[in-house]
Amino acid sequence: MLTPEYINLLEFNDVVQLYNKLNIDLTADIIDRISAMEDISVTAKNEMKILIERSGEEVFYEALEKTSMITAERKQLLKKMFSDMASEDMQGYKELYLYRDKFFKLSEKQYRILNEGLRATDRLLKNLTNTIAFRTQQAYVEAIDEAYMQTVTGAYSYTNAIQNTVQKLADMGITLKDKAGRNVQLEVAVRRNVLAGIQSTANNINRDIEKELGCDGYEVTAHIGARPTHAEAQGKQYAINKEDSKKYGIGLWSDVSDLWEEYNCRHTYFGIILGISEPVYTDKELNEYKNATVEWNGKKIPYYEATQKQRQLENAIRKQKRTVQILEKSGINNEIEKIKLAQIQKEYTNFCKETGLQKEYNRIRISKNDSTKLAQNDIIVLPNYENAIIPIEKFTKYALDMNNPKGRNKAIAFQEALGYNVNNVDKLIRSIQKNLNKFNAIEKSDKGFGKQYEVLMTLVGENKKVANVKTGWIIDKETGETRLTSAYVTKKGRKKNGN
């Protein structure tokens, strides 16, 4: 089962960042070429046509070469993504494998489905290679043609025409045409193809697993901030046939199945055995999800409406970051664009602070070099997180110990919210280790024993529910080790969202 939270993190993946960087490089190359041109205002029209054709062909083959050069890295990143997806997705069926007394692993057929999905997605991206080169050439030709017309008609001086052209290129980047004929950013096209490939492959694997396990129903994932048409139907169990629908008093799958195929939907569904599989979500939780609101500008607005505003701001930040990086790579002054970026970022920060929505750092990163020394995906990660020590005793003798008077409430919270207890403590520790670099580390006061940090994480538990876990860390003053000091479930902080 792929949760909405997992898909949300998956959407802006390393493959997308790879093509983001390609977009920046290709656009900067065009700008460099245009900036180096001699005054075209005195060039005859027929000479200009020959110049554009010749240089446009050079741009095409340079773009083709650069796009081809990322093939190996693209394949490697895709392979890891699909492998991680299969591992994550399988966990949702673990209990049913135990119930059917079957070995918990993908079958040979399911591995074939996984590899076929991987190859199909890679082919789609490979097929974009010529299209990217052609659209880069087209962007260059259109830019030169526009600058030429502005100068020969006297609308602008040559210098101003070039400046206008450069700014427009930096703002637009390289675009492709979608199925509806609309211009979309290169990385948007890549993101859609990759996410569609992942979800399609997961669905195909799941359908085969469900057939193997004899599932006779489906359950849909749920999340806060779902679009209104989805909020009513999410998180529930459904019967595949009418007889079972009447027998168990639940909805019929065919009545809602089309909802989860809608564009940009983050819901997934997974097979269940009616009468055996316990619902993941309670009615109370689903009502809270459906009726969630936030305060903005002194008014209460639906949570979904707030997330749409958040997405708009994140899109604006990514677009402005790309403009800043393109101009910087071209050696052109970008101070004005940096100021614009800072203004949008401030608006985003204020909006998230006022509404209580958590910043989605993965959604405002645009390329793999868009980072600081301690940052990853625009997140200030815990120093030395790769080697962070998590003493098991912190859980077995305290945070998960029902018999410890001081830890009992924490243990109850972990069990109810995420399904973790002393019997599966190793899985909780692995989950913390796996997700530690995905959330901000906030430095706290040093009390003389070493620097202290707090990391508020959103985890998916063994019961497939999502909860916030606040963890405390210290970098030992004597040994330099990064070590966990505390962990507990909290309702404060992160609010995950989707569609």
Side-chain angles (χ1 to χ4, degrees):
M1 176 181 74
L2 301 183
T3 65
E5 290 74 25
Y6 183 83
I7 292 174
N8 184 51
L9 290 173
L10 191 67
E11 186 175 3
F12 292 86
N13 53 72
D14 285 342
V15 177
V16 173
Q17 310 315 327
L18 186 65
Y19 279 86
N20 255 317
K21 186 176 184 303
L22 177 66
N23 193 345
I24 292 168
D25 289 346
L26 293 178
T27 309
D29 287 347
I30 294 176
I31 290 175
D32 289 344
R33 185 179 283 270
I34 292 174
S35 300
M37 288 179 65
E38 297 179 358
D39 191 342
I40 58 175
S41 60
V42 295
T43 307
K45 189 173 182 180
N46 61 333
E47 292 176 345
M48 193 64 203
K49 183 178 179 181
I50 295 171
L51 173 64
I52 289 176
E53 287 178 354
R54 185 172 63 246
S55 55
E57 189 175 343
E58 291 174 0
V59 169
F60 175 85
Y61 284 109
E62 287 175 4
L64 192 65
E65 182 180 8
K66 282 203 168 186
T67 307
S68 299
M69 285 174 64
I70 66 173
T71 299
E73 186 173 1
R74 180 193 72 226
K75 286 179 176 290
Q76 183 180 8
L77 291 172
L78 275 178
K79 185 176 181 180
K80 185 178 186 306
M81 282 179 60
F82 273 72
S83 176
D84 290 347
M85 173 275 290
S87 177
E88 179 77 18
D89 190 50
M90 270 291 279
Q91 297 305 313
Y93 294 96
K94 189 171 184 178
E95 290 182 5
L96 293 187
Y97 271 90
L98 292 173
Y99 175 75
R100 294 297 194 195
D101 196 24
K102 290 180 177 289
F103 196 52
F104 182 58
K105 64 174 291 186
L106 289 178
S107 67
E108 288 187 13
K109 181 181 178 182
Q110 289 149 13
Y111 270 116
R112 285 199 301 273
I113 294 172
L114 176 64
N115 288 321
E116 286 168 3
L118 170 60
R119 286 194 294 269
T121 305
D122 187 62
R123 278 197 301 271
L124 283 172
L125 298 186
K126 181 183 178 181
N127 291 341
L128 288 179
T129 301
N130 278 353
T131 305
I132 292 168
F134 172 74
R135 291 291 291 175
T136 303
Q137 178 189 25
Q138 199 169 32
Y140 170 75
V141 169
E142 289 174 355
I144 292 294
D145 190 54
E146 184 175 350
Y148 179 70
M149 292 304 296
Q150 287 179 359
T151 56
V152 297
T153 58
Y156 294 95
S157 68
Y158 169 72
T159 300
N160 287 340
I162 292 298
Q163 287 175 346
N164 292 342
T165 299
V166 165
Q167 186 62 52
K168 186 175 180 180
L169 280 168
D171 289 339
M172 289 291 294
I174 305 302
T175 61
L176 305 181
K177 294 285 186 182
D178 66 7
K179 292 180 179 179
R182 298 168 298 194
N183 285 329
V184 297
Q185 281 297 318
L186 166 58
E187 56 272 18
V188 172
V190 170
R191 187 173 78 231
R192 290 176 181 174
N193 279 318
V194 171
L195 201 58
I198 287 279
Q199 290 181 296
S200 174
T201 304
N203 284 338
N204 290 337
I205 291 174
N206 289 349
R207 302 300 82 84
D208 193 72
I209 289 175
E210 291 151 13
K211 184 178 179 181
E212 179 184 348
L213 295 175
C215 296
D216 52 5
Y218 291 114
E219 183 168 344
V220 182
T221 56
H223 59 82
I224 189 172
R227 64 188 68 169
T229 53
H230 291 191
E232 187 66 40
Q234 70 171 356
K236 297 178 181 179
Q237 293 187 343
Y238 296 92
I240 293 175
N241 61 60
K242 291 182 180 180
E243 291 75 15
D244 285 337
S245 175
K246 292 178 181 178
K247 178 180 177 180
Y248 293 99
I250 57 178
L252 188 62
W253 177 246
S254 58
D255 292 340
V256 298
S257 59
D258 287 346
L259 287 174
W260 325 119
E261 307 301 327
E262 291 180 5
Y263 173 71
N264 209 30
C265 175
R266 296 297 178 266
H267 288 98
T268 58
Y269 54 92
F270 53 98
I272 58 173
I273 299 176
L274 298 175
I276 298 298
S277 301
E278 292 291 330
V280 173
Y281 307 94
T282 65
D283 289 341
K284 180 183 178 182
E285 287 172 322
L286 293 176
N287 281 328
E288 288 175 352
Y289 283 1
K290 183 174 67 174
N291 300 317
T293 60
V294 299
E295 285 199 14
W296 185 43
N297 289 337
K299 298 179 180 178
K300 281 191 174 183
I301 63 172
Y303 196 100
Y304 173 75
E305 188 178 322
T307 62
Q308 298 311 294
K309 171 66 175 175
Q310 186 180 23
R311 295 292 90 85
Q312 292 172 5
L313 289 170
E314 289 159 351
N315 289 340
I317 289 173
R318 288 198 308 275
K319 179 179 181 298
Q320 192 61 25
K321 277 187 173 184
R322 187 181 62 246
T323 299
V324 168
Q325 288 198 25
I326 288 171
L327 293 175
E328 184 173 330
K329 190 171 179 62
S330 301
I332 296 173
N333 189 300
N334 61 359
E335 289 306 312
I336 293 177
E337 301 306 322
K338 284 183 176 179
I339 291 171
K340 290 179 182 178
L341 174 60
Q343 290 171 340
I344 303 171
Q345 288 174 322
K346 183 179 180 180
E347 183 182 357
Y348 182 63
T349 297
N350 291 340
F351 177 79
C352 290
K353 185 176 181 180
E354 184 179 352
T355 59
L357 297 180
Q358 181 71 20
K359 287 184 178 181
E360 300 286 352
Y361 291 97
N362 62 311
R363 288 181 171 271
I364 55 177
R365 187 180 82 159
I366 64 161
S367 66
K368 297 183 79 173
N369 61 357
D370 177 22
S371 59
T372 63
K373 186 176 181 182
L374 289 179
Q376 192 173 84
N377 297 1
D378 278 338
I379 298 170
I380 306 301
V381 298
L382 180 71
N384 196 31
Y385 73 89
E386 304 98 326
N387 302 309
I389 297 171
I390 303 180
I392 193 170
E393 295 81 9
K394 287 287 182 183
F395 294 103
T396 57
K397 295 184 179 180
Y398 182 59
L400 296 180
D401 187 357
M402 293 286 189
N403 297 317
N404 186 321
K406 293 183 178 180
R408 177 175 171 77
N409 288 337
K410 292 182 175 64
I412 292 172
F414 267 115
Q415 176 64 53
E416 292 182 351
L418 293 168
Y420 288 121
N421 51 57
V422 290
N423 296 319
N424 57 13
V425 61
D426 56 321
K427 293 181 179 179
L428 172 57
I429 290 174
R430 282 201 299 271
S431 182
I432 292 174
Q433 290 171 329
K434 178 181 176 182
N435 292 284
L436 190 52
N437 67 330
K438 297 176 182 176
F439 302 98
N440 258 344
I442 300 173
E443 187 171 348
K444 312 298 282 187
S445 59
D446 185 341
K447 297 181 179 180
F449 301 102
K451 286 186 177 181
Q452 296 189 83
Y453 292 84
E454 180 181 282
V455 181
L456 182 60
M457 315 172 73
T458 298
L459 301 181
V460 179
E462 281 295 284
N463 56 6
K464 307 303 177 293
K465 293 184 180 181
V466 179
N468 300 322
V469 175
K470 184 173 286 188
T471 58
W473 305 82
I474 188 170
I475 300 179
D476 194 283
K477 188 176 182 180
E478 300 296 329
T479 65
E481 293 177 340
T482 299
R483 187 173 65 253
L484 177 82
T485 57
S486 64
Y488 59 92
V489 173
T490 176
K491 291 185 178 180
K492 296 180 180 180
R494 291 189 61 84
K495 293 181 181 179
K496 297 298 292 182
N497 48 70
N499 288 297

